[in-house]
Amino acid sequence: MSKNTPKAIRGTQDIFGADAEAFAFVVETFERVRKLYRFRRVEMPVFEKTEVFSRAIGETTDVVSKEMYSFEDRGGDSLTLRPEFTAGISRAFLTNGWQQHAPLKVATHGPLFRYERPQKGRYRQFHQIDAEIIGAAEPQADVELLAMADQLLKELGIEGVALHLNTLGDAESRDAWRAGLIEYFGAVKGELSEDSQERLEKNPLRILDSKDPRDRAFVADAPKIDAFLSDDALAFFDAVTSGLDAAGVKWTRATSLVRGLDYYRHTAFEFIPDEGSAAATALGAQSTVLGGGRYDGLMESLGGPATPAVGWAAGIERLAMLVGEKAEEPADVIMVVEDERWNEISDGILAELRRNDLFSEIVSTGSLKKRFDKARKMEPRTILVLGSRGEQLEATLKYFDQTTRSSEIYDAVKSRVLPKFVKQELREG
Ligand code: ATP
Ligand code: MG
């Protein structure tokens, strides 16, 4: 690398090796679970018109006011790299007439972009898995999504992370709560952080979410949503919690949990590591792995008909940090050609190994000793050596363990792969 080699953009990551395996494990497990729950796959554009996000997420949110990557393209349109999935999926629901599929259960994953201060677990390009149910007003949809999230974390082997659940009420309850919060925090305005003083009139719920110690001192005694809930909102929340109990999903009530975006109604939730758990240590200061809620007001902000919906998203990097490093799978067969005469036939054997579902590779550079050293270092299940006896090709399979997989490999190499190339028996070495 010379001095003028361009560096990676701040806040981006090049993921490789065991970390990349952990990342892939998260995505593969998510794919399996979303099929289990019968969510349909969608692929979304990485950029949208800026107004998709500013209207859906809300101008006063951190995401829209500080974190978006927006630019004018050559045609003069203001575009934004997606900072989240929900707004784009909602736009697609309206522009493609997906109403006909409602209630529509969709899932996706991919990169997102936010201009944030990079640190452990917080990047400018990060990745999420995302699941949404659009066009479902019933609390069963909330329960299904939460059960799915819970099962996903279990299948990833993640422990010490708990579901924190709250309700933000319906529009009526939320407005009353909002007024109560403005009154309460207004009385101590001078003692709040500068950010929260600014939030007070525009977005007082966000003060509850503040990490600033000056704000935290007042959050514990702030008015709770429960005092403002309408009968309908209360009944909805009761149905969600009893559904979770019936589904065997553990949850705890978090009365000051709010989400950073304007569009949430009723259910709001986050999966957060328990204090002092290994998960909390692994994540450091970034606490939330998975978050979401109900966003019944969002479609209208995009000019669509009122459409109830609920969804969640989780950071793949943060989940991967909790999964820990995943070793790359060992190869079934590493092939080493001992005698150059068999170079050509080795291509055929390698292709045949792979056609027989054996995870295989050839080591073909360096001296013979180097090749064997390299092959052993890869810690494969077996090494297949192509050597000679007289004029004949002699194949030897060296074992490194006594697993059923090794005997499957032996059987496949002996009875399906080699007979296509050699008359002789397979030697064991
Ligand atoms: P935070 O409070 O950590 O900023 P958020 O509320 O902004 O999170 P959401 O918009 O709800 O996050 O996104 C859902 C999930 O996406 C988060 O719980 C987290 O796992 C992940 N996430 C959000 N922002 C980032 C980021 N900059 N880098 C890595 N992961 C992120
Ligand atoms: Mg954030």
Side-chain angles (χ1 to χ4, degrees):
M1 192 179 84
S2 82
K3 261 198 196 140
N4 66 6
T5 301
K7 293 201 175 56
I9 295 173
R10 189 165 132 81
T12 65
Q13 292 196 101
D14 305 310
I15 309 171
F16 178 71
D19 292 331
E21 291 300 326
F23 190 106
F25 174 65
V26 171
V27 173
E28 283 159 18
T29 308
F30 173 66
E31 267 299 289
R32 214 183 72 71
V33 172
R34 71 98 185 149
K35 286 181 193 161
L36 208 49
Y37 281 74
R38 309 233 349 117
F39 278 61
R40 300 165 80 176
R41 183 68 208 223
V42 283
E43 295 300 330
M44 304 307 304
V46 167
F47 54 2
E48 296 274 354
K49 288 199 172 139
T50 298
E51 64 174 324
V52 169
F53 304 110
S54 56
R55 285 170 58 178
I57 302 174
E59 296 281 359
T60 63
T61 59
D62 285 356
V63 170
V64 173
S65 63
K66 303 186 213 154
E67 297 174 2
M68 290 206 303
Y69 277 96
S70 301
F71 60 96
E72 204 171 279
D73 76 356
R74 288 169 195 273
D77 290 323
S78 177
L79 307 183
T80 293
L81 302 183
R82 62 184 181 199
E84 60 142 38
F85 279 113
T86 310
I89 292 175
S90 302
R91 189 275 306 147
F93 184 84
L94 296 173
T95 55
N96 295 312
W98 287 348
Q99 282 98 335
Q100 59 173 316
H101 303 296
L104 177 64
K105 302 198 290 183
V106 289
T108 192
H109 65 83
L112 305 160
F113 305 85
R114 294 184 192 177
Y115 192 81
E116 300 201 69
R117 198 165 66 78
Q119 47 193 302
K120 184 176 158 195
R122 189 175 294 285
Y123 313 98
R124 289 183 175 174
Q125 174 171 341
F126 63 102
H127 300 78
Q128 280 181 347
I129 50 177
D130 180 278
E132 316 275 352
I133 306 182
I134 306 178
E138 301 72 26
Q140 283 80 7
D142 310 49
V143 173
E144 180 175 20
L145 273 168
L146 284 165
M148 180 186 180
D150 184 68
Q151 184 163 355
L152 173 72
L153 293 177
K154 293 215 167 78
E155 297 205 5
L156 289 171
I158 293 174
E159 282 169 5
V161 173
L163 165 56
H164 294 236
L165 183 68
N166 197 13
T167 174
L168 307 178
D170 47 24
E172 179 197 331
S173 328
R174 194 179 142 132
D175 285 348
W177 187 31
R178 199 173 171 279
L181 288 171
I182 293 179
E183 194 186 315
Y184 171 81
F185 285 117
V188 293
K189 187 172 176 185
E191 296 171 68
L192 300 175
S193 69
E194 293 74 27
D195 273 351
S196 288
Q197 296 191 20
E198 214 173 289
R199 286 179 189 128
L200 185 61
E201 296 293 331
K202 286 187 271 178
N203 206 347
L205 272 63
R206 287 290 284 148
I207 302 176
L208 299 175
D209 200 26
S210 168
K211 282 153 197 150
D212 194 302
R214 287 172 290 173
D215 301 329
R216 299 229 52 95
F218 297 102
V219 166
D221 292 328
K224 307 282 179 285
I225 180 71
D226 292 25
F228 305 93
L229 283 181
S230 67
D231 290 347
D232 283 354
L234 186 61
F236 191 93
F237 191 56
D238 280 345
V240 172
T241 57
S242 44
L244 291 174
D245 293 340
V249 176
K250 290 211 175 68
W251 56 277
T252 55
R253 180 72 196 277
T255 49
S256 43
L257 189 151
V258 293
R259 307 270 309 135
L261 314 177
D262 276 352
Y263 51 57
Y264 288 107
R265 300 281 179 281
H266 291 291
T267 321
F269 53 84
E270 291 185 340
F271 283 79
I272 302 173
D274 302 331
E275 241 171 274
S277 66
T281 314
L283 279 184
Q286 316 317 321
S287 51
T288 306
V289 276
L290 185 152
R294 186 163 267 286
Y295 52 92
D296 293 352
L298 194 156
M299 291 291 172
E300 287 160 287
S301 69
L302 292 177
T307 308
V310 53
W312 57 250
I316 298 178
E317 289 86 352
R318 291 189 198 173
L319 289 171
M321 284 159 76
L322 297 183
V323 162
E325 294 193 345
K326 273 259 166 220
E328 291 168 277
E329 279 285 314
D332 288 328
V333 182
I334 299 290
M335 194 159 64
V336 176
V337 181
E338 206 170 41
D339 185 331
E340 293 197 351
R341 276 189 292 174
W342 315 121
N343 274 348
E344 208 162 299
I345 207 172
S346 71
D347 291 330
I349 296 177
L350 190 57
E352 197 58 30
L353 288 168
R354 291 166 173 165
R355 278 186 212 112
N356 278 278
D357 256 347
L358 299 177
F359 295 75
S360 310
E361 218 179 324
I362 186 167
V363 178
S364 53
T365 54
S367 67
L368 199 55
K369 180 178 176 310
K370 278 227 177 85
R371 283 184 226 174
F372 275 113
D373 285 349
K374 192 165 179 200
R376 270 190 219 100
K377 234 181 158 166
M378 293 163 92
E379 299 184 356
R381 296 185 199 277
T382 67
I383 294 180
L384 180 62
V385 185
L386 302 188
S388 302
R389 185 165 5 142
E391 293 300 300
Q392 303 283 325
L393 163 62
E394 183 178 66
T396 310
L397 194 68
K398 294 177 184 293
Y399 287 88
F400 296 95
D401 57 31
Q402 297 292 332
T403 58
T404 47
R405 182 64 182 162
S406 303
S407 41
E408 278 169 22
I409 296 168
Y410 177 78
D411 291 341
V413 173
K414 180 185 151 118
S415 55
R416 297 203 295 275
V417 178
L418 280 181
K420 296 212 162 112
F421 303 90
V422 212
K423 302 256 148 24
Q424 272 153 347
E425 275 288 289
L426 174 63
R427 264 189 41 172
E428 294 177 59

